[in-house]
Amino acid sequence: VEYYLPAAEVVVRDVQQFKPPPMMERHALATEGSKPRPSDQDEDVVDYYQYSAARGDASAQVALGQLHYFGARGLDQDYGEALRWYEKAAEQGDGNALGHMGNMYVQGVHVEKSNETALKLFKQGAEKGNPVAINGLGYMSMYGMGMEQSFSEALKHFSQAAEQGNQEARFNLGAMYITGMGVTKDYAKAIYYFTLAANRGHMLALYNLAMMHLNGYGTPQSCTNALQFFKSVAERGSWGLKLQNAYKRYREGDIDPALLLYSEAAELGYEVAQGNVAHIYDEGGSPMTTDAKSKALAAYEISAQQGAVGADLKIGDFYYYGMGTEVNFRKAVTHYRTASEARNAQAMFNLAYMHEHGIGLPQDLHLAKRFYDMAGETSQDAVWPVSICRTKLWLVMAGKDAVEYIDEMSMKLSTKYGPTYGVWLPHSTVWLPWLQEQWDLVLIALMLGQLSIVLLLKNHISAARAQPNGAR
């Protein structure tokens, strides 16, 4: 808290001054695989919106305005370009565009602040039932901007917009209840509305929840919960642009600069950066990297401390195969279990395999089957591998049951007839090792035996057909 709180306050100060930070897009290198590059997808999305917007599609014009306003999908943050597209959509009477334009005028973003213009735009948008515009009317009513201050009107507008899922309205309702502005102070309702807004990424809502948990307002005091909220806010600061710059350099093939930027972001506590540093080292790092696997393991361990399930899975692999460290099946099991508890199908599959073969765990075919079943139920991609392993496991279990049955019968027969005839049938510990060692010869013998039976049956049928009817 001591470190994240000051950083979170810087971000909140910018938001309160109507300087929203650019949207942070985080790319986990390890999960991309053969999927289309996000940058390629971004270009396709922007091209689609630009094409549709140029043809007069109001919803595409608003979407393009939003991308420019927040600097998303690879576009630079550009309020002027955002306003231009909002105006085009507003000319067609789009309620969203009217609401967003109203926000720009009431906040004075790229335009001269004008309560009169904002109020006009909000009213036009509210007449179309747009929640952004309705929330704007509530905001102006609460602070008496261009109109008489009225908390009851503000509450009405915020409630209407919140019912339509507007996160800003939900935050404003939380602000009213935590301060008692026009309503009875109610921390429980404040937490409820702040949580709804925070679930959609509202930064001020996240910050307020952090402060409430830190000070125990309406909820048990919890530094752990407060820390998570402060961290969520702090990581949205402009310093997070290191992630996007690193990703761009990585895609351009500049591994060293990308690794440096990701390492700087990892030091700031970004889990995705820690995972990406580990991934780059795991893939061999740069030509100048030494001892890459041990560095990858160290980065994965840091990432796992923040609850990254994929990192726990990778750590388990490193200890299982002895990559960057000595082989340690017990540690592999520990990390596989952590990942499996987070519903990771690969970790469940690995635990099943280790139970099946008694690697780092007591051999237990029933537990192996249970983990195989869990892996198949968790991921559709695991169905075929699990089906093959379960079939093999069934054959092994059936063979084990057959050997136990043979041993039981051998003991009964030896006990009954051994003293009389001097015939003692050997236990499986005697003949099973030989059978396992000479399985290929046994298999050939069985196949020859089956072939002999087929030939005998064929000769018998041919001889029967050759006889006269009367001789049959």
Side-chain angles (χ1 to χ4, degrees):
V1 173
E2 180 182 355
Y3 297 104
Y4 278 112
L5 176 56
E9 288 177 340
V10 172
V11 178
V12 168
R13 193 179 307 120
D14 287 342
V15 174
Q16 290 174 334
Q17 293 174 358
F18 308 120
K19 298 177 182 178
M23 187 173 292
M24 300 298 166
E25 296 172 339
R26 307 181 185 190
H27 305 289
L29 303 180
T31 60
E32 290 185 9
S34 60
K35 296 188 297 183
R37 296 179 179 180
S39 55
D40 296 336
Q41 294 175 332
D42 289 345
E43 186 176 344
D44 291 341
V45 170
V46 173
D47 287 345
Y48 168 76
Y49 282 138
Q50 287 177 337
Y51 174 79
S52 300
R55 293 174 64 86
D57 186 324
S59 60
Q61 291 168 345
V62 173
L64 198 55
Q66 288 288 86
L67 294 181
H68 282 291
Y69 189 88
F70 290 103
R73 295 286 185 178
L75 296 178
D76 293 330
Q77 195 170 32
D78 188 333
Y79 297 135
E81 193 66 10
L83 180 61
R84 185 172 75 87
W85 286 111
Y86 289 153
E87 287 173 341
K88 286 182 177 292
E91 289 172 0
Q92 301 183 58
D94 186 272
N96 258 325
L98 292 165
H100 292 310
M101 284 178 64
N103 282 332
M104 294 184 75
Y105 276 99
V106 79
Q107 297 168 5
V109 176
H110 189 73
V111 295
E112 185 177 349
K113 188 173 181 179
S114 173
N115 291 339
E116 182 180 352
T117 304
L119 184 59
K120 177 182 176 182
L121 291 168
F122 284 146
K123 285 182 176 179
Q124 290 176 357
E127 288 174 358
K128 299 178 181 296
N130 180 262
V132 177
I134 295 172
N135 174 73
L137 284 178
Y139 182 82
M140 299 189 79
S141 297
M142 184 164 65
Y143 294 104
M145 303 170 68
M147 60 193 309
E148 184 179 348
Q149 187 177 39
S150 173
F151 293 132
S152 60
E153 282 295 304
L155 181 63
K156 182 183 74 172
H157 290 308
F158 289 151
S159 299
Q160 289 176 353
E163 288 174 1
Q164 297 186 53
N166 184 269
Q167 60 178 356
E168 197 67 38
R170 289 169 172 171
F171 167 76
N172 288 330
L173 285 172
M176 292 186 76
Y177 281 109
I178 196 173
T179 59
M181 189 182 296
V183 295
T184 302
K185 185 180 291 189
D186 190 328
Y187 288 142
K189 286 186 177 180
I191 287 180
Y192 171 74
Y193 286 113
F194 284 149
T195 301
L196 289 178
N199 288 340
R200 299 284 297 276
H202 195 286
M203 278 189 283
L204 295 181
L206 287 165
Y207 178 79
N208 284 356
L209 282 174
M211 295 302 294
M212 295 183 78
H213 280 283
L214 182 64
N215 296 291
Y217 294 153
T219 183
Q221 189 175 27
S222 172
C223 288
T224 301
N225 290 340
L227 174 61
Q228 292 304 313
F229 288 123
F230 281 136
K231 186 174 186 295
S232 296
V233 176
E235 289 188 348
R236 297 175 189 226
S238 58
W239 41 80
L241 289 173
K242 290 179 185 291
L243 293 173
Q244 290 176 223
N245 294 334
Y247 182 76
K248 182 179 179 181
R249 301 303 292 271
Y250 180 83
R251 282 306 181 192
E252 291 173 350
D254 296 332
I255 304 300
D256 284 334
L259 182 57
L260 178 60
L261 288 168
Y262 275 133
S263 298
E264 291 176 356
E267 289 291 328
L268 293 175
Y270 287 93
E271 186 280 319
V272 68
Q274 295 163 354
N276 287 348
V277 167
H279 176 77
I280 293 174
Y281 280 131
D282 195 7
E283 294 293 308
S286 70
M288 300 180 64
T289 301
T290 58
D291 202 15
K293 289 297 183 183
S294 62
K295 291 178 180 178
L297 177 59
Y300 279 131
E301 287 176 336
I302 294 173
S303 178
Q305 290 174 10
Q306 296 201 56
V309 177
D312 270 308
L313 179 64
K314 293 295 291 187
I315 295 170
D317 291 343
F318 273 55
Y319 281 114
Y320 185 92
Y321 295 106
M323 297 186 296
T325 184
E326 295 181 356
V327 172
N328 190 321
F329 294 133
R330 289 188 178 277
K331 287 188 176 181
V333 168
T334 299
H335 288 282
Y336 285 150
R337 278 179 174 160
T338 300
S340 71
E341 289 169 1
R343 307 296 294 168
N344 183 281
Q346 183 63 59
M348 296 173 184
F349 186 94
N350 293 351
L351 287 172
Y353 183 86
M354 297 178 81
H355 270 298
E356 179 182 354
H357 297 280
I359 302 174
L361 289 167
Q363 188 175 34
D364 190 325
L365 301 184
H366 295 286
L367 272 179
K369 181 180 181 303
R370 178 183 175 188
F371 276 108
Y372 279 136
D373 291 341
M374 290 168 60
E377 293 168 359
T378 301
S379 172
Q380 191 66 29
D381 294 336
V383 171
W384 278 108
V386 164
S387 298
I388 294 171
C389 290
R390 280 193 299 200
T391 301
K392 175 195 169 189
L393 190 63
W394 180 84
L395 291 173
V396 171
M397 294 174 73
K400 188 176 180 180
D401 291 341
V403 169
E404 290 177 354
Y405 177 76
I406 292 171
D407 282 340
E408 183 180 349
M409 294 304 298
S410 297
M411 182 175 290
K412 288 181 179 180
L413 292 172
S414 296
T415 302
K416 185 174 181 180
Y417 298 107
T420 304
Y421 299 101
V423 178
W424 305 92
L425 297 178
H427 192 267
S428 61
T429 54
V430 176
W431 55 265
L432 189 57
W434 176 87
L435 184 64
Q436 291 173 335
E437 183 177 349
Q438 305 293 335
W439 66 270
D440 50 349
L441 297 178
V442 174
L443 182 61
I444 292 172
L446 289 173
M447 293 175 66
L448 289 174
Q450 290 178 339
L451 182 60
S452 300
I453 293 172
V454 170
L455 291 175
L456 288 173
L457 289 173
K458 180 181 178 182
N459 291 335
H460 177 74
I461 293 171
S462 298
R465 287 177 177 174
Q467 293 178 2
N469 292 334
R472 293 183 180 178

